[in-house]
Amino acid sequence: MKAFFIRPINPTKTAYKKSFGFLPTPLGLLQLAGDVLSVEGTEARVVDMEADGMMTVESVVDEATKWDPDVVGITIHATAAQEVSLSLARRIKEQLKDTVLVAGGHHATFTPTETLKGGFDVVVLGEGDGTMVDLVHCLNGKMKLEDVKGIAYYKGGEIRKTKPRPLITNLDTIPVPAFHLVNREKYTFDIFGKGESVACIETSRGCPYACDFCSVTPTWGNKWRNKSVSRIMQEVKLVESLGYRWIFFVDDIFVVFPNIKQREKLFDCMINEGVEVKWIAQMRADITARNPTLIEKAANAGLKVAFLGVESGSEETLKKMHKGLNTSWAEKAVKVLDENGVVVLVGLILGAPYEGLKDMWRTVKFAYKLSDVGADGVQFSIYTPLPGTRVFVDAIKNGKLFTLDWSQFDLLTPVMRTRVHPTLIQLMQFYGNYSFYIRKWVRSKLLKTRVHPRKLALLKNAESYFLKRVPHFLKEIVWSFPVGLARTTMFYVKGGQPSAEKAATITEESSVIVYDDNSKNRYFLIDDK
């Protein structure tokens, strides 16, 4: 049995690839490949269009046709990649009539009807590890499709959904991802130097918080579950042995309050066992600010870059986002990280439906304030209602979306009517990103700002990287940005409300809880070993 997995290209490309030359390994597909390889007699391949910019839909279809797999799995990892995914599915099906086309990922989970009608045979809803293995057993004649939990599929001209699949409670039971199936050299971190390769490792799943814009909780469940220290170390040593220089721990929250002791054990192991690989983690500001000793130990264990989802400089906006943070925690967190020599990247969002221009300007100014206390980078995104979120359902019900062209749902382009005209939001986002870095660079030269020795070399490499890309930035200012504004204006003026039938279907599917979870603690399932 042969399984062929594809990460489709995002038409607008990923923001981090464009800005920082950062492209980590496709962990979701490598994990699924590892899952199916645990079934005896199974082969797997992974094709990554993001990593190979020369690959087209046609060349991927040719690759699939030559290999003649029994099943093709395509991750719709980003809503903006949906059209490319559907095109791949249709064209592969034309060549391989008997091959089963499977879609998974966040977008497919919450738009299964549209995805199935677009050319797929099966949609995996939510967590796909056990589901993919069961689908392999179906192809081997050992199971019936209707007995596979957590899928949507066609039967007799109708779309059917099976019973929800329970969350995986013990993540150590999941097979190790098939890291060997991709070429390390394609997964770069150019901002910190040529030859800097980066692999993804997952140490936990789920999020117990309830930010209104976030698709993580609907996709992975609101129960935070983690792997044991021994399992994490097994994967860390494996990717280090494969030659990767960086690890990106992809957990949406790397540390939660109940697992602080377990993280201390992990950092001790990394230090004591001589792990040399550098790593990146996504952190909450309040947990970071309240645990400076933990952050010191993390830095000693190899933490070099931390991403803080600060989201806004407006206290009122943070409350309405249900972020559970205030701006003072963000300042303290940046200071703690900077004092320990960690490069700090801050994530901020503009254009929430309850924001005005003053709120957005407050956020831009707050970015400057964070820069002055130690933040090294910023990523301004645009508030985007993604399928599966409360705000998406609200936007559909109240006719707030002015386009359902999924390629525009890239977190960099406005798609929703708010209190502020979308082109002003786009201007503010553009200004926020560029002014932050220009201001940071000028101040560093004029004021001779002290930089922690631990991050000095990284920031010098970053400065060199940005200076070399000045022509790219000028092209973006002169050409790409005005074209983007014109495109947004066109979509806004034209409008694009879905039909009543489509709106009802999307609303219903985006409101579904995809997991069967009846455990007592709905927020945490901690393994402190």
Side-chain angles (χ1 to χ4, degrees):
M1 210 290 299
K2 296 161 75 173
F4 189 88
F5 295 102
I6 304 169
R7 174 159 73 170
I9 196 164
N10 183 340
T12 56
K13 300 187 178 179
T14 63
Y16 292 118
K17 175 68 173 175
K18 287 196 293 186
S19 299
F20 309 121
F22 176 68
L23 183 68
T25 52
L27 180 63
L29 293 185
L30 297 181
Q31 181 60 66
L32 291 175
D35 296 332
V36 301
L37 287 172
S38 69
V39 180
E40 188 176 353
T42 303
E43 299 176 65
R45 277 191 64 186
V46 172
V47 170
D48 187 355
M49 294 179 74
E50 292 278 9
D52 192 338
M54 300 302 290
M55 290 199 88
T56 62
V57 169
E58 290 76 15
S59 62
V60 174
V61 172
D62 287 343
E63 285 284 317
T65 304
K66 289 174 185 175
W67 205 55
D68 193 19
D70 300 279
V71 59
V72 171
I74 301 177
T75 176
I76 310 185
H77 60 294
T79 292
Q82 190 248 19
E83 287 301 326
V84 175
S85 302
L86 295 185
S87 178
L88 283 166
R90 287 192 296 266
R91 296 191 190 190
I92 291 172
K93 199 68 173 179
E94 288 172 2
Q95 301 298 319
L96 303 169
K97 304 292 185 186
D98 297 327
T99 295
V100 177
L101 275 295
V102 180
H106 151 258
H107 185 80
T109 292
F110 294 105
T111 60
T113 296
E114 182 178 59
T115 304
L116 289 168
K117 288 182 176 179
F120 285 91
D121 300 306
V122 178
V123 170
V124 174
L125 306 176
E127 224 166 35
D129 304 270
T131 309
M132 203 68 213
V133 171
D134 284 352
L135 289 172
V136 170
H137 290 320
C138 284
L139 291 169
N140 288 336
K142 296 179 180 179
M143 280 186 76
K144 294 181 179 178
L145 194 60
E146 54 265 31
D147 293 331
V148 178
K149 292 181 178 179
I151 62 169
Y153 65 100
Y154 263 125
K155 185 172 182 178
E158 294 181 0
I159 293 175
R160 302 189 181 187
K161 291 181 184 178
T162 60
K163 293 179 181 179
R165 179 173 289 271
L167 287 166
I168 299 170
T169 55
N170 183 357
L171 296 183
D172 281 8
T173 62
I174 302 171
V176 172
F179 295 113
H180 63 284
L181 290 181
V182 292
N183 181 354
R184 170 178 54 83
E185 295 178 358
K186 293 183 178 181
Y187 299 96
T188 59
F189 207 173
D190 291 340
I191 189 172
F192 292 139
K194 286 294 181 184
E196 296 293 286
S197 51
V198 56
C200 291
I201 289 180
E202 170 191 68
T203 76
S204 68
R205 289 182 182 177
C207 178
Y209 297 95
C211 304
D212 68 346
F213 55 85
C214 187
S215 61
V216 170
T217 301
T219 305
W220 293 103
N222 61 2
K223 186 188 297 297
W224 192 92
R225 302 154 284 146
N226 65 293
K227 293 177 181 176
S228 66
V229 169
S230 59
R231 170 57 188 266
I232 297 167
M233 288 299 295
Q234 178 189 359
E235 295 188 31
V236 167
K237 290 178 179 178
L238 175 57
V239 299
E240 191 171 33
S241 72
L242 291 171
Y244 286 95
R245 303 285 299 277
W246 289 81
I247 290 173
F248 174 28
F249 288 117
V250 298
D251 314 41
D252 292 284
I253 308 175
F254 189 61
V255 182
V256 293
F257 284 115
N259 92 316
I260 287 174
K261 289 184 179 179
Q262 193 249 13
R263 288 308 190 218
E264 287 180 343
K265 290 180 186 177
L266 173 63
F267 303 154
D268 284 337
C269 280
M270 295 175 85
I271 294 167
N272 295 335
E273 296 184 29
V275 171
E276 295 183 359
V277 67
K278 302 179 283 286
W279 50 276
I280 313 154
Q282 302 180 103
M283 321 277 278
R284 264 186 73 89
D286 52 353
I287 298 171
T288 302
R290 288 171 171 167
N291 294 278
T293 304
L294 181 73
I295 300 306
E296 181 182 6
K297 185 170 284 190
N300 290 335
L303 173 62
K304 298 297 182 185
V305 181
F307 178 86
L308 289 175
V310 174
E311 318 311 1
S312 179
S314 163
E315 301 290 356
E316 189 63 29
T317 296
L318 287 171
K319 287 178 184 176
K320 290 178 179 177
M321 285 179 169
H322 304 286
K323 184 68 183 176
L325 290 176
N326 57 46
T327 55
S328 64
W329 285 125
E331 285 185 64
K332 291 174 184 175
V334 169
K335 288 178 182 177
V336 167
L337 290 162
D338 179 61
E339 288 166 1
N340 285 283
V342 179
V343 175
V344 185
L345 176 62
V346 172
L348 294 163
I349 299 174
L350 299 174
Y354 31 75
E355 275 195 317
L357 272 174
K358 286 184 179 179
D359 297 307
M360 286 189 278
W361 179 239
R362 192 172 289 120
T363 296
V364 172
K365 289 196 296 182
F366 187 57
Y368 300 158
K369 190 173 185 180
L370 294 179
S371 170
D372 295 342
V373 298
D376 303 290
V378 71
Q379 179 65 56
F380 280 94
S381 300
I382 290 177
Y383 189 99
T384 305
L386 296 171
T389 62
R390 299 191 301 276
V391 291
F392 180 81
V393 172
D394 177 73
I396 289 287
K397 285 182 176 179
N398 296 295
K400 293 179 181 178
L401 294 179
F402 58 79
T403 180
L404 265 180
D405 181 332
W406 297 122
S407 67
Q408 301 302 299
F409 284 63
D410 58 3
L411 309 184
L412 301 174
T413 309
V415 295
M416 177 172 58
R417 294 181 179 86
T418 68
R419 291 169 56 188
V420 180
H421 194 281
T423 54
L424 285 178
I425 297 172
Q426 210 164 349
L427 278 165
M428 198 69 120
Q429 184 244 9
F430 188 82
Y431 175 79
N433 277 324
Y434 272 87
S435 64
F436 177 95
Y437 288 103
I438 293 170
R439 179 182 181 276
K440 181 87 178 175
W441 186 76
V442 170
R443 282 175 62 87
S444 73
K445 299 303 178 186
L446 294 178
L447 303 180
K448 304 295 182 183
T449 311
R450 177 189 171 276
V451 177
H452 195 289
R454 271 185 172 168
K455 61 179 178 180
L456 184 59
L458 291 176
L459 293 181
K460 282 186 174 179
N461 285 341
E463 180 183 33
S464 175
Y465 173 82
F466 281 125
L467 290 175
K468 288 177 182 176
R469 285 176 59 79
V470 166
H472 163 80
F473 297 134
L474 290 174
K475 180 183 176 183
E476 200 169 61
I477 293 168
V478 174
W479 176 253
S480 302
F481 180 64
V483 168
L485 283 178
R487 186 183 298 114
T488 297
T489 303
M490 178 190 72
F491 278 113
Y492 183 71
V493 171
K494 185 179 177 181
Q497 292 300 312
S499 66
E501 181 183 358
K502 184 174 182 178
T505 300
I506 292 178
T507 300
E508 179 185 355
E509 292 179 339
S510 277
S511 305
V512 168
I513 304 292
V514 297
Y515 296 110
D516 176 14
D517 184 17
N518 296 313
S519 53
K520 292 179 181 178
N521 187 338
R522 56 181 296 207
Y523 297 113
F524 298 101
L525 186 64
I526 302 295
D527 180 349
D528 61 3
K529 295 189 290 297

